Amino acid sequence: MVTVVYCHPLEASLTAATRDVALEALRGVATHLVDLSDPDRDTTGLTETDAAALSRSSGLVLVYPTWWSGPPGALQRWFDEVWTPSAHFESIERIIVCTTHGSSKLVNSLEGESGKRTVSRYLRPRCARRCRVEWIALYGLDRCGPDRRARHLERVGQRVTSLLS
Amino acid sequence: MDDGNPRATAVIVADRRGRAASLATAVLVERLSARHRVTVVDLAGFGIAMTGPERRAYESDEPILDAGVRSSAEAVARAAVLAFVTPLQSSGLSAPVKGWLDRVLVPGVGFEIGDDGRMRPGLGHVQRLISVTVDDRSRLRRLREGDSARRVISRALRLVCGWSTRTSWIRIGSGASAAEISDAVTGAARRW
């Protein structure tokens, strides 16, 4: 089973297209989709549902835009509620992060890439001992053309497919 | 006493969930009031997620649609001091504080995007960034877990402030007494 977490308010976004590519790559595999796009989402009972799905998942795919160097507020709330300090999901062997950054790689390095640290240093140690993190990022989104966007989607498809091997 | 000079403005963005965060906000208001006009943005009830219409408006000339977000943005536009009170639960800032950054510090407030698509700082008027975190983790565990919250404020947000902007990072435990919280904030406040 693979859990896919999606967080972006617009359906007409590259992040939504990335989610679709990831789900297509996982066709035929049991998938649990956590959709954080609705700001008025009633989370009653969903925390337990998501935690139960994670405890059965071998892979986790996070699809979100990086804002202010980290995940959006809705995804941060999901981390706070589901990935509590005592939570462990030892069945997860791979985490794939598909994200976009408005600014360049250099600017993001200066900013400290806190989102990357959250995944590699907070989430990963709560997964399987040999869990690997793969970071698929499109930097400079504000200035990139359709070619780079298409290459990003292609790469997402390839890497998410690799979860199945 | 009013000396005729308008006092600088301090904005405190407070996620006051929990006794320690609430007490820390009160102490911060008291310390900053000596030299500043203080505005407290209470994040209770503030939407943490950017909505679809807000995201569509993000790159327009009118990126702010919500009255609460606008009032925060107007306060930030005058701020010489920008302070945050945030409990840390997993990794990173608390969700309400992160949501506030996402929704309020949009183009024209937190930064500008030039015709060449490059980002330029928008908070050059902020002279000091203050963070009060309610965090029970040990120093070793904070470092091991990446200390993401500190990076967001001290690096990402700091980058859109002025060259001389200073930062203060104050950590208190959730079980700290009122006296301990007061001492922690007051000790740091001597440098403000």
Side-chain angles (χ1 to χ4, degrees):
Chain A
M1 182 178 194
V2 176
T3 295
V4 178
V5 182
Y6 163 71
C7 184
H8 195 288
L10 287 183
E11 267 305 296
S13 63
L14 181 65
T15 306
T18 304
R19 172 205 60 200
D20 293 342
V21 167
L23 290 175
E24 179 63 28
L26 293 168
R27 185 186 287 249
V29 177
T31 304
H32 174 68
L33 175 64
V34 180
D35 186 346
L36 303 174
S37 59
D38 180 4
D40 298 321
R41 174 183 188 248
D42 180 6
T43 56
T44 311
L46 289 179
T47 300
E48 291 77 14
T49 306
D50 294 344
L54 285 171
S55 64
R56 295 195 305 273
S57 296
S58 59
L60 170 64
V61 180
L62 299 170
V63 185
Y64 66 90
T66 292
W67 292 339
W68 286 105
S69 176
L75 182 53
Q76 185 63 53
R77 178 171 65 181
W78 188 78
F79 287 153
D80 287 350
E81 290 176 349
V82 179
W83 293 79
T84 57
S86 60
H88 285 82
F89 303 105
E90 287 162 4
S91 60
I92 298 176
E93 296 174 334
R94 289 274 300 279
I95 301 175
I96 296 182
V97 181
C98 310
T99 190
T100 55
H101 302 260
S103 45
S104 66
K105 170 79 176 157
L106 173 64
V107 169
N108 277 276
S109 297
L110 293 171
E111 288 180 344
E113 301 217 80
S114 71
K116 200 172 191 173
R117 286 191 159 232
T118 294
V119 174
S120 60
R121 296 173 70 163
Y122 183 82
L123 301 192
R124 196 189 64 77
R126 286 166 172 74
C127 299
R129 181 188 288 261
R130 293 178 186 276
C131 176
R132 284 188 294 139
V133 174
E134 195 160 347
W135 190 260
I136 306 172
L138 179 63
Y139 291 95
L141 177 66
D142 296 339
R143 289 182 292 155
C144 87
D147 287 357
R148 280 188 60 210
R149 290 170 190 240
R151 281 202 300 278
H152 175 70
L153 292 176
E154 189 181 339
R155 190 169 162 226
V156 167
Q158 287 168 356
R159 299 315 302 158
V160 174
T161 303
S162 75
L163 273 176
L164 310 178
S165 57
Chain B
M1 190 176 72
D2 189 351
D3 57 5
N5 292 322
R7 288 189 295 170
T9 300
V11 175
I12 303 173
V13 180
D15 176 0
R16 287 199 265 205
R17 288 174 297 167
R19 184 193 64 90
S22 204
L23 281 171
T25 305
V27 175
L28 205 49
V29 169
E30 185 191 332
R31 291 291 171 263
L32 286 171
S33 294
R35 292 189 188 173
H36 301 82
R37 274 183 290 117
V38 178
T39 301
V40 178
V41 178
D42 189 341
L43 294 180
F46 189 90
I48 62 164
M50 186 182 282
T51 64
E54 282 178 333
R55 185 62 190 88
R56 272 190 285 275
Y58 186 84
E59 284 157 17
S60 72
D61 293 336
E62 296 288 338
I64 294 176
L65 305 177
D66 180 90
V69 173
R70 182 171 294 110
S71 118
S72 274
E74 287 169 356
V76 169
R78 301 187 301 270
V81 174
L82 184 53
F84 298 90
V85 178
T86 173
L88 302 186
Q89 287 172 264
S90 55
S91 178
L93 296 165
S94 77
V97 172
K98 186 61 177 54
W100 185 91
L101 291 178
D102 295 344
R103 296 180 69 206
V104 174
L105 300 186
V106 294
V109 181
F111 58 95
E112 305 282 351
I113 298 178
D115 294 336
D116 56 358
R118 289 183 189 280
M119 189 181 81
R120 293 183 175 81
L123 298 180
H125 49 85
V126 173
Q127 293 160 12
R128 184 166 286 275
L129 287 170
I130 300 168
S131 306
V132 182
T133 63
V134 181
D135 186 359
D136 289 325
R137 295 173 301 168
S138 66
R139 178 173 165 76
L140 179 64
R141 195 167 149 207
R142 286 201 308 277
L143 291 173
R144 206 173 57 214
E145 293 181 347
D147 222 355
S148 299
R150 190 163 188 161
R151 286 178 172 245
V152 173
I153 301 291
S154 303
R155 293 178 65 165
L157 198 53
R158 172 69 184 76
L159 268 182
V160 296
C161 296
W163 286 109
S164 58
T165 303
R166 311 289 288 271
T167 58
S168 299
W169 193 266
I170 303 161
R171 190 183 68 83
I172 55 177
S174 60
S177 67
E180 287 169 334
I181 292 170
S182 180
D183 286 350
V185 175
T186 305
R190 290 196 189 98
R191 298 190 295 273
W192 301 346

